Amino acid sequence: MRFYRPTWAEINLKNLEYNLSQIKSRVTPGTKILVTVKADAYGHGLIPVSKRLCSRAVDFFGVASIDEGIKLREAGIKTPILILGLILKKDIAPLFKYNFSTTVCDEELPRALDNMARKLKKRINLQVKVDTGMGRIGVLHYDAYGLVRKISKLKYVNIEGIFTHFAFADLNKDFTFYQIDLFDRLVKRLNKDGISIPLVHAANSMGLLDYKNSHFSMVRPGL
Ligand SMILES: *Cc1c(COP(=O)(O)O)cnc(C)c1O
């Protein structure tokens, strides 16, 4: 689609690399980094931005949709990709084909994934999104424990991650600390009961700058 508007953004990719190195210097070594590149990398250009950053030890890319993920794979990017948005059951085939991790927040999608994985004899990764107050995507925090237990019984899916998202990290510290606490307690309870999930993450850009106790095992800078 061609737009006839005399506006453009000029991105200095060297500065972008510098920003990533600043992020790395603010997290404990070993903390993984998922770079959020949804919406054409915030209008900065999905492919040039992702290509430049994936040479810099990015652990994951986060995209909103399967289509964005396919664009990354078609550009030759092999970095793990998490689809942050929800997808429909009928659209799960590309997850296997392109090796995407997907976000789940109910039982239905994991069951569909488990069925297809069994047929293809190929395990599939998923990450459980928990709603601690954002009110957008996610299983409500008080239902999350039960959901994770149920999903953990499925043979062909691997719960690779669990995450939540802040509603107003820039505006309301008390509420953000409350969200971190709810999430932390959930993860601890799961651990105590023998369910340990490798990727635990909550922090968007604001979270990672202002709330050190929100870093867990991965951070998700975007802005
Ligand atoms: C957009 C998004 C981010 C990044 O948020 P910023 O505020 O741009 O840093 C992180 N996690 C999820 C789930 C997102 O949708």
PDB file of all heavy atoms in Angstrom, residues 46-47 63 65-77 81 83 94-95 97-98 100:
ATOM      1  N   LEU A  46      10.066  -3.217  10.694  1.00  0.00           N
ATOM      2  CA  LEU A  46      10.220  -4.532  11.339  1.00  0.00           C
ATOM      3  C   LEU A  46      11.525  -5.237  10.944  1.00  0.00           C
ATOM      4  O   LEU A  46      12.271  -5.686  11.807  1.00  0.00           O
ATOM      5  CB  LEU A  46       9.009  -5.418  10.967  1.00  0.00           C
ATOM      6  CG  LEU A  46       9.060  -6.866  11.432  1.00  0.00           C
ATOM      7  CD1 LEU A  46       8.954  -6.954  12.945  1.00  0.00           C
ATOM      8  CD2 LEU A  46       7.941  -7.686  10.770  1.00  0.00           C
ATOM      9  N   ILE A  47      11.791  -5.318   9.645  1.00  0.00           N
ATOM     10  CA  ILE A  47      12.916  -6.145   9.201  1.00  0.00           C
ATOM     11  C   ILE A  47      14.275  -5.487   9.481  1.00  0.00           C
ATOM     12  O   ILE A  47      15.149  -6.113  10.090  1.00  0.00           O
ATOM     13  CB  ILE A  47      12.757  -6.546   7.710  1.00  0.00           C
ATOM     14  CG1 ILE A  47      11.424  -7.295   7.517  1.00  0.00           C
ATOM     15  CG2 ILE A  47      13.940  -7.388   7.232  1.00  0.00           C
ATOM     16  CD1 ILE A  47      11.241  -8.529   8.376  1.00  0.00           C
ATOM     17  N   VAL A  63       5.995 -10.391  18.747  1.00  0.00           N
ATOM     18  CA  VAL A  63       5.177  -9.763  17.707  1.00  0.00           C
ATOM     19  C   VAL A  63       3.713  -9.901  18.107  1.00  0.00           C
ATOM     20  O   VAL A  63       3.368 -10.713  18.963  1.00  0.00           O
ATOM     21  CB  VAL A  63       5.419 -10.420  16.325  1.00  0.00           C
ATOM     22  CG1 VAL A  63       6.832 -10.164  15.831  1.00  0.00           C
ATOM     23  CG2 VAL A  63       5.126 -11.924  16.365  1.00  0.00           C
ATOM     24  N   SER A  65       1.130 -10.608  15.897  1.00  0.00           N
ATOM     25  CA  SER A  65       0.359 -11.570  15.107  1.00  0.00           C
ATOM     26  C   SER A  65       1.257 -12.575  14.398  1.00  0.00           C
ATOM     27  O   SER A  65       2.468 -12.351  14.243  1.00  0.00           O
ATOM     28  CB  SER A  65      -0.449 -10.817  14.045  1.00  0.00           C
ATOM     29  OG  SER A  65       0.450 -10.221  13.119  1.00  0.00           O
ATOM     30  N   ILE A  66       0.636 -13.652  13.935  1.00  0.00           N
ATOM     31  CA  ILE A  66       1.343 -14.664  13.151  1.00  0.00           C
ATOM     32  C   ILE A  66       1.959 -14.032  11.897  1.00  0.00           C
ATOM     33  O   ILE A  66       3.095 -14.336  11.538  1.00  0.00           O
ATOM     34  CB  ILE A  66       0.369 -15.800  12.776  1.00  0.00           C
ATOM     35  CG1 ILE A  66       0.013 -16.607  14.028  1.00  0.00           C
ATOM     36  CG2 ILE A  66       0.965 -16.711  11.707  1.00  0.00           C
ATOM     37  CD1 ILE A  66      -1.038 -17.666  13.802  1.00  0.00           C
ATOM     38  N   ASP A  67       1.214 -13.134  11.268  1.00  0.00           N
ATOM     39  CA  ASP A  67       1.720 -12.514  10.033  1.00  0.00           C
ATOM     40  C   ASP A  67       3.053 -11.810  10.260  1.00  0.00           C
ATOM     41  O   ASP A  67       3.964 -11.898   9.438  1.00  0.00           O
ATOM     42  CB  ASP A  67       0.707 -11.506   9.488  1.00  0.00           C
ATOM     43  CG  ASP A  67      -0.653 -12.137   9.318  1.00  0.00           C
ATOM     44  OD1 ASP A  67      -1.323 -12.385  10.341  1.00  0.00           O
ATOM     45  OD2 ASP A  67      -1.030 -12.415   8.180  1.00  0.00           O
ATOM     46  N   GLU A  68       3.139 -11.091  11.370  1.00  0.00           N
ATOM     47  CA  GLU A  68       4.405 -10.399  11.656  1.00  0.00           C
ATOM     48  C   GLU A  68       5.530 -11.409  11.876  1.00  0.00           C
ATOM     49  O   GLU A  68       6.658 -11.195  11.442  1.00  0.00           O
ATOM     50  CB  GLU A  68       4.260  -9.520  12.905  1.00  0.00           C
ATOM     51  CG  GLU A  68       3.331  -8.329  12.709  1.00  0.00           C
ATOM     52  CD  GLU A  68       3.134  -7.496  13.981  1.00  0.00           C
ATOM     53  OE1 GLU A  68       3.410  -7.996  15.095  1.00  0.00           O
ATOM     54  OE2 GLU A  68       2.691  -6.348  13.864  1.00  0.00           O
ATOM     55  N   GLY A  69       5.203 -12.507  12.534  1.00  0.00           N
ATOM     56  CA  GLY A  69       6.210 -13.547  12.775  1.00  0.00           C
ATOM     57  C   GLY A  69       6.692 -14.157  11.466  1.00  0.00           C
ATOM     58  O   GLY A  69       7.902 -14.387  11.282  1.00  0.00           O
ATOM     59  N   ILE A  70       5.765 -14.404  10.546  1.00  0.00           N
ATOM     60  CA  ILE A  70       6.149 -14.995   9.254  1.00  0.00           C
ATOM     61  C   ILE A  70       7.091 -14.050   8.504  1.00  0.00           C
ATOM     62  O   ILE A  70       8.084 -14.485   7.915  1.00  0.00           O
ATOM     63  CB  ILE A  70       4.894 -15.328   8.410  1.00  0.00           C
ATOM     64  CG1 ILE A  70       4.121 -16.478   9.073  1.00  0.00           C
ATOM     65  CG2 ILE A  70       5.271 -15.704   6.978  1.00  0.00           C
ATOM     66  CD1 ILE A  70       2.801 -16.829   8.402  1.00  0.00           C
ATOM     67  N   LYS A  71       6.815 -12.752   8.583  1.00  0.00           N
ATOM     68  CA  LYS A  71       7.714 -11.793   7.923  1.00  0.00           C
ATOM     69  C   LYS A  71       9.140 -11.922   8.461  1.00  0.00           C
ATOM     70  O   LYS A  71      10.105 -11.855   7.710  1.00  0.00           O
ATOM     71  CB  LYS A  71       7.216 -10.357   8.135  1.00  0.00           C
ATOM     72  CG  LYS A  71       6.050 -10.000   7.241  1.00  0.00           C
ATOM     73  CD  LYS A  71       5.707  -8.521   7.368  1.00  0.00           C
ATOM     74  CE  LYS A  71       4.361  -8.264   6.709  1.00  0.00           C
ATOM     75  NZ  LYS A  71       3.645  -7.139   7.335  1.00  0.00           N
ATOM     76  N   LEU A  72       9.254 -12.118   9.764  1.00  0.00           N
ATOM     77  CA  LEU A  72      10.599 -12.265  10.351  1.00  0.00           C
ATOM     78  C   LEU A  72      11.280 -13.530   9.847  1.00  0.00           C
ATOM     79  O   LEU A  72      12.452 -13.517   9.466  1.00  0.00           O
ATOM     80  CB  LEU A  72      10.520 -12.303  11.886  1.00  0.00           C
ATOM     81  CG  LEU A  72      10.177 -10.997  12.593  1.00  0.00           C
ATOM     82  CD1 LEU A  72      10.090 -11.218  14.098  1.00  0.00           C
ATOM     83  CD2 LEU A  72      11.223  -9.926  12.291  1.00  0.00           C
ATOM     84  N   ARG A  73      10.534 -14.633   9.843  1.00  0.00           N
ATOM     85  CA  ARG A  73      11.135 -15.889   9.373  1.00  0.00           C
ATOM     86  C   ARG A  73      11.514 -15.785   7.906  1.00  0.00           C
ATOM     87  O   ARG A  73      12.566 -16.267   7.487  1.00  0.00           O
ATOM     88  CB  ARG A  73      10.154 -17.053   9.569  1.00  0.00           C
ATOM     89  CG  ARG A  73       9.959 -17.467  11.033  1.00  0.00           C
ATOM     90  CD  ARG A  73      11.167 -18.240  11.570  1.00  0.00           C
ATOM     91  NE  ARG A  73      10.931 -18.708  12.926  1.00  0.00           N
ATOM     92  CZ  ARG A  73      11.495 -18.187  14.023  1.00  0.00           C
ATOM     93  NH1 ARG A  73      12.347 -17.184  13.937  1.00  0.00           N
ATOM     94  NH2 ARG A  73      11.222 -18.687  15.217  1.00  0.00           N
ATOM     95  N   GLU A  74      10.655 -15.143   7.101  1.00  0.00           N
ATOM     96  CA  GLU A  74      10.952 -15.040   5.670  1.00  0.00           C
ATOM     97  C   GLU A  74      12.156 -14.147   5.408  1.00  0.00           C
ATOM     98  O   GLU A  74      12.798 -14.248   4.373  1.00  0.00           O
ATOM     99  CB  GLU A  74       9.713 -14.568   4.898  1.00  0.00           C
ATOM    100  CG  GLU A  74       8.716 -15.716   4.790  1.00  0.00           C
ATOM    101  CD  GLU A  74       7.441 -15.383   4.039  1.00  0.00           C
ATOM    102  OE1 GLU A  74       7.165 -14.173   3.855  1.00  0.00           O
ATOM    103  OE2 GLU A  74       6.741 -16.340   3.661  1.00  0.00           O
ATOM    104  N   ALA A  75      12.456 -13.288   6.366  1.00  0.00           N
ATOM    105  CA  ALA A  75      13.658 -12.457   6.242  1.00  0.00           C
ATOM    106  C   ALA A  75      14.895 -13.204   6.757  1.00  0.00           C
ATOM    107  O   ALA A  75      15.981 -12.634   6.834  1.00  0.00           O
ATOM    108  CB  ALA A  75      13.473 -11.157   7.005  1.00  0.00           C
ATOM    109  N   GLY A  76      14.718 -14.461   7.133  1.00  0.00           N
ATOM    110  CA  GLY A  76      15.862 -15.280   7.537  1.00  0.00           C
ATOM    111  C   GLY A  76      16.186 -15.232   9.021  1.00  0.00           C
ATOM    112  O   GLY A  76      17.235 -15.718   9.445  1.00  0.00           O
ATOM    113  N   ILE A  77      15.305 -14.655   9.824  1.00  0.00           N
ATOM    114  CA  ILE A  77      15.586 -14.539  11.260  1.00  0.00           C
ATOM    115  C   ILE A  77      15.221 -15.832  11.987  1.00  0.00           C
ATOM    116  O   ILE A  77      14.090 -16.314  11.885  1.00  0.00           O
ATOM    117  CB  ILE A  77      14.849 -13.311  11.839  1.00  0.00           C
ATOM    118  CG1 ILE A  77      15.535 -12.055  11.306  1.00  0.00           C
ATOM    119  CG2 ILE A  77      14.840 -13.332  13.374  1.00  0.00           C
ATOM    120  CD1 ILE A  77      14.817 -10.772  11.594  1.00  0.00           C
ATOM    121  N   ILE A  81      10.572 -16.673  18.514  1.00  0.00           N
ATOM    122  CA  ILE A  81       9.539 -15.637  18.371  1.00  0.00           C
ATOM    123  C   ILE A  81       8.335 -16.003  19.226  1.00  0.00           C
ATOM    124  O   ILE A  81       7.858 -17.139  19.180  1.00  0.00           O
ATOM    125  CB  ILE A  81       9.104 -15.518  16.892  1.00  0.00           C
ATOM    126  CG1 ILE A  81      10.251 -14.963  16.035  1.00  0.00           C
ATOM    127  CG2 ILE A  81       7.860 -14.620  16.756  1.00  0.00           C
ATOM    128  CD1 ILE A  81       9.963 -14.958  14.534  1.00  0.00           C
ATOM    129  N   ILE A  83       4.399 -14.991  19.825  1.00  0.00           N
ATOM    130  CA  ILE A  83       3.234 -14.254  19.346  1.00  0.00           C
ATOM    131  C   ILE A  83       2.505 -13.727  20.591  1.00  0.00           C
ATOM    132  O   ILE A  83       1.939 -14.511  21.358  1.00  0.00           O
ATOM    133  CB  ILE A  83       2.263 -15.167  18.539  1.00  0.00           C
ATOM    134  CG1 ILE A  83       3.002 -16.047  17.518  1.00  0.00           C
ATOM    135  CG2 ILE A  83       1.152 -14.328  17.898  1.00  0.00           C
ATOM    136  CD1 ILE A  83       3.533 -15.373  16.306  1.00  0.00           C
ATOM    137  N   PRO A  94       0.569 -22.627  11.283  1.00  0.00           N
ATOM    138  CA  PRO A  94       1.827 -21.884  11.087  1.00  0.00           C
ATOM    139  C   PRO A  94       2.741 -21.895  12.319  1.00  0.00           C
ATOM    140  O   PRO A  94       3.957 -21.713  12.186  1.00  0.00           O
ATOM    141  CB  PRO A  94       1.372 -20.452  10.797  1.00  0.00           C
ATOM    142  CG  PRO A  94      -0.059 -20.536  10.442  1.00  0.00           C
ATOM    143  CD  PRO A  94      -0.605 -21.766  11.071  1.00  0.00           C
ATOM    144  N   LEU A  95       2.177 -22.101  13.499  1.00  0.00           N
ATOM    145  CA  LEU A  95       3.026 -22.130  14.699  1.00  0.00           C
ATOM    146  C   LEU A  95       4.025 -23.266  14.600  1.00  0.00           C
ATOM    147  O   LEU A  95       5.180 -23.143  15.007  1.00  0.00           O
ATOM    148  CB  LEU A  95       2.177 -22.323  15.960  1.00  0.00           C
ATOM    149  CG  LEU A  95       1.065 -21.313  16.220  1.00  0.00           C
ATOM    150  CD1 LEU A  95       0.298 -21.702  17.468  1.00  0.00           C
ATOM    151  CD2 LEU A  95       1.639 -19.916  16.364  1.00  0.00           C
ATOM    152  N   LYS A  97       4.862 -24.824  11.641  1.00  0.00           N
ATOM    153  CA  LYS A  97       5.673 -24.639  10.443  1.00  0.00           C
ATOM    154  C   LYS A  97       6.833 -23.664  10.696  1.00  0.00           C
ATOM    155  O   LYS A  97       7.952 -23.891  10.264  1.00  0.00           O
ATOM    156  CB  LYS A  97       4.780 -24.128   9.305  1.00  0.00           C
ATOM    157  CG  LYS A  97       5.547 -23.827   8.055  1.00  0.00           C
ATOM    158  CD  LYS A  97       4.666 -23.619   6.843  1.00  0.00           C
ATOM    159  CE  LYS A  97       5.546 -23.255   5.644  1.00  0.00           C
ATOM    160  NZ  LYS A  97       4.795 -22.514   4.630  1.00  0.00           N
ATOM    161  N   TYR A  98       6.552 -22.567  11.399  1.00  0.00           N
ATOM    162  CA  TYR A  98       7.568 -21.521  11.562  1.00  0.00           C
ATOM    163  C   TYR A  98       8.213 -21.536  12.937  1.00  0.00           C
ATOM    164  O   TYR A  98       9.020 -20.682  13.255  1.00  0.00           O
ATOM    165  CB  TYR A  98       6.945 -20.139  11.310  1.00  0.00           C
ATOM    166  CG  TYR A  98       6.494 -19.945   9.890  1.00  0.00           C
ATOM    167  CD1 TYR A  98       5.156 -20.140   9.534  1.00  0.00           C
ATOM    168  CD2 TYR A  98       7.409 -19.592   8.897  1.00  0.00           C
ATOM    169  CE1 TYR A  98       4.746 -19.964   8.220  1.00  0.00           C
ATOM    170  CE2 TYR A  98       6.996 -19.417   7.589  1.00  0.00           C
ATOM    171  CZ  TYR A  98       5.659 -19.603   7.254  1.00  0.00           C
ATOM    172  OH  TYR A  98       5.249 -19.426   5.959  1.00  0.00           O
ATOM    173  N   PHE A 100       6.958 -20.995  16.126  1.00  0.00           N
ATOM    174  CA  PHE A 100       6.609 -19.870  16.990  1.00  0.00           C
ATOM    175  C   PHE A 100       6.159 -20.389  18.351  1.00  0.00           C
ATOM    176  O   PHE A 100       5.575 -21.463  18.447  1.00  0.00           O
ATOM    177  CB  PHE A 100       5.431 -19.075  16.414  1.00  0.00           C
ATOM    178  CG  PHE A 100       5.681 -18.421  15.081  1.00  0.00           C
ATOM    179  CD1 PHE A 100       4.662 -18.331  14.147  1.00  0.00           C
ATOM    180  CD2 PHE A 100       6.929 -17.892  14.765  1.00  0.00           C
ATOM    181  CE1 PHE A 100       4.874 -17.715  12.915  1.00  0.00           C
ATOM    182  CE2 PHE A 100       7.156 -17.276  13.535  1.00  0.00           C
ATOM    183  CZ  PHE A 100       6.123 -17.189  12.608  1.00  0.00           C
TER     184      PHE A 100
END
